């Protein structure tokens, strides 16, 4: 194990659904941020930790930058703006579209305002031809003098070594911030809640999953006995905004909720390296995303 002599704190920013969490997971080498095909999957800032040689990278995965429509949306946009400040560098992650959209322009303005080193990362390059990629590069080159423009496929892990070489240029001498083996700053209770929310996003349609929040009300560990792995007992409450949504989440004879809980339990066991017993409930909190007290109580707090 190399001694850590440098650190680089890097914000990964971009519009919703551009692949920020997929990229964070790929760079860390472990799933620490939930992923779905639905926009605004990530609601708060998550730090992923990756050690390469003598450098520790702290990667800040942020919510998608969008026009907020709820108190929760306001919080998410504030998180992004605050994350593009007091860091060593910024990755602006974009799709291979030869036009600088309003979210990207707003983030470029923020990078310029904070005078931060920045690299443009064009994701999903496996979906376009080379000629289109050159057009994307030209469009962004005229919008801002990025230190580098790096095409990648986070899904296929293409181009990531080149990206890490660029990010290492932003590292500054300093002590190791996170101990060896630690890949995220999230408490295990929060990771469990986020995994359940991921399964809601993947198994429910339209607006229903966006109106859900997950709270782990009990997280206790006990000995598995002998050489058996430990056991984690979880009580999980899923909150939704309408009574009709509660019925959809539970499903006929509880089938949908059982499927969500089963998939979540498998992922939690994989992450924790322990057997998991999980009890799950569904409750209604009407329009919680527009209620500041509820937004804060679910951990989306303006610190």
């Amino acid at each position: 194990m190399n001694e850590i002599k440098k650190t680089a704190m890097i914000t990964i920013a971009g519009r919703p659904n551009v692949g920020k969490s997929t990229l964070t997971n790929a760079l860390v080498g472990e799933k620490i941020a939930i992923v779905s095909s639905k926009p605004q999957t990530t609601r708060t800032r998550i730090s992923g930790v990756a050690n390469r040689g003598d450098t520790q990278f702290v990667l800040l995965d942020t919510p998608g930058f969008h026009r907020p429509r709820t108190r929760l949306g306001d919080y998410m946009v504030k998180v992004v703006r605050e994350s593009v400040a007091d860091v060593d560098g910024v990755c602006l992650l974009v799709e291979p579209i030869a036009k600088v959209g309003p979210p990207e322009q707003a983030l470029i303005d923020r990078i310029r305002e904070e005078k931060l080193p920045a690299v443009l990362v064009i994701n999903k390059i496996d979906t376009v031809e080379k000629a289109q990629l050159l057009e994307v590069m030209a469009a962004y080159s005229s919008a801002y003098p990025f230190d580098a423009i790096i095409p990648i496929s986070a899904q296929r892990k293409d181009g990531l070594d080149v990206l890490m070489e660029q990010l290492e240029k932003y590292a500054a001498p300093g002590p190791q911030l996170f101990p060896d083996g630690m890949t995220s700053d999230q408490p295990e209770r929060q990771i469990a809640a986020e995994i359940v929310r991921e399964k809601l996003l993947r198994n429910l349609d339209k607006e229903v999953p966006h109106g859900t929040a997950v709270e782990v009300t009990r997280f206790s560990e006990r000995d598995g006995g002998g050489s058996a792995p430990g056991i984690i007992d979880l009580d999980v409450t899923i909150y939704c905004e309408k009574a009709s949504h509660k019925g959809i989440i539970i499903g006929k004879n509880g089938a949908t909720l059982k499927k969500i809980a089963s998939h979540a339990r498998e992922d939690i066991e994989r992450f924790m390296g322990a057997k998991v017993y999980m009890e799950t409930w569904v409750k209604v909190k009407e329009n919680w995303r527009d209620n500041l007290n509820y937004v804060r109580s679910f951990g989306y707090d303006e610190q």
Side-chain angles (χ1 to χ4, degrees):
M1 186 71 70
N2 291 331
E3 182 187 353
I4 299 298
K5 298 176 181 176
K6 300 180 294 181
T7 58
M9 189 166 288
I10 308 294
T11 293
I12 300 175
R15 69 165 62 213
N17 218 31
V18 77
K20 296 180 296 298
S21 295
T22 301
L23 175 58
T24 302
N25 291 338
L27 293 178
V28 170
E30 184 174 323
K31 182 175 178 177
I32 57 103
I34 66 171
V35 177
S36 85
S37 60
K38 295 182 173 67
Q40 297 168 36
T41 297
T42 302
R43 286 178 173 170
T44 192
R45 187 174 69 190
I46 297 166
S47 295
V49 183
N51 292 345
R52 298 278 194 286
D54 64 353
T55 304
Q56 182 169 82
F57 296 88
V58 181
L59 307 162
L60 308 181
D61 180 22
T62 61
F65 197 76
H66 65 288
R67 188 185 297 278
R69 295 184 175 85
T70 63
R71 287 293 187 94
L72 176 62
D74 290 338
Y75 164 82
M76 291 160 66
V77 168
K78 185 172 184 283
V79 166
V80 182
R81 288 189 60 82
E82 290 181 350
S83 298
V84 184
D86 299 323
V87 290
D88 298 307
V90 177
C91 282
L92 177 58
L93 194 64
V94 302
E95 293 185 322
I97 299 169
K99 180 184 177 183
V100 180
E104 288 79 16
Q105 188 59 58
L107 287 166
I108 287 171
D109 292 344
R110 181 68 174 157
I111 290 166
R112 183 182 284 114
E113 178 187 334
E114 293 293 325
K115 298 181 175 63
L116 290 169
V119 55
L120 181 76
V121 182
I122 306 172
N123 194 21
K124 307 180 184 180
I125 58 167
D126 48 302
T127 63
V128 295
E129 300 295 327
K130 186 176 179 181
Q132 291 174 268
L133 191 56
L134 292 173
E135 290 174 8
V136 180
M137 291 178 170
Y140 278 94
S141 293
S142 61
Y144 187 76
F146 289 95
D147 294 339
I149 297 179
I150 301 175
I152 69 160
S153 169
Q155 191 78 46
R156 297 186 177 186
K157 298 182 172 61
D158 290 341
L160 302 190
D161 288 341
V162 176
L163 175 58
M164 291 300 271
E165 285 173 15
Q166 176 63 34
L167 297 182
E168 190 166 1
K169 295 176 183 178
Y170 302 145
Q176 184 167 337
L177 300 175
F178 292 90
D180 292 340
M182 188 171 180
T183 56
S184 175
D185 65 342
Q186 295 183 96
E188 291 180 332
R189 179 187 292 256
Q190 182 182 347
I191 290 171
E194 283 289 275
I195 289 173
V196 173
R197 194 166 66 81
E198 178 188 67
K199 304 314 172 190
L200 290 164
L201 285 160
R202 291 191 172 189
N203 286 281
L204 300 171
D205 292 328
K206 298 178 182 175
E207 181 62 16
V208 176
H210 289 298
T212 59
V214 178
E215 183 180 22
V216 174
T217 55
R218 180 168 72 115
F219 185 108
S220 61
E221 301 177 63
R222 53 192 167 99
D223 192 356
S227 59
I231 296 169
I232 297 173
D233 294 299
L234 296 178
D235 286 351
V236 176
T237 303
I238 298 166
Y239 296 96
C240 58
E241 292 190 308
K242 298 177 182 178
S244 59
H245 291 180
K246 179 177 178 179
I248 293 169
I249 293 167
I250 293 172
K252 188 175 181 181
N253 298 322
T256 305
L257 183 59
K258 285 177 185 173
K259 182 180 177 183
I260 289 165
S262 175
H263 289 175
R265 183 179 50 76
E266 289 170 7
D267 265 17
I268 295 168
E269 286 184 338
R270 197 174 298 117
F271 185 88
M272 306 289 181
K275 185 75 177 170
V276 172
Y277 291 100
M278 187 166 74
E279 294 282 345
T280 313
W281 293 268
V282 183
K283 296 182 179 180
V284 178
K285 282 191 185 290
E286 292 192 5
N287 300 318
W288 70 264
R289 284 180 292 177
D290 259 328
N291 184 309
L292 193 56
N293 289 330
Y294 284 154
V295 169
R296 286 174 173 167
S297 73
F298 292 139
Y300 308 117
D301 197 3
E302 298 178 20
Q303 304 259 327

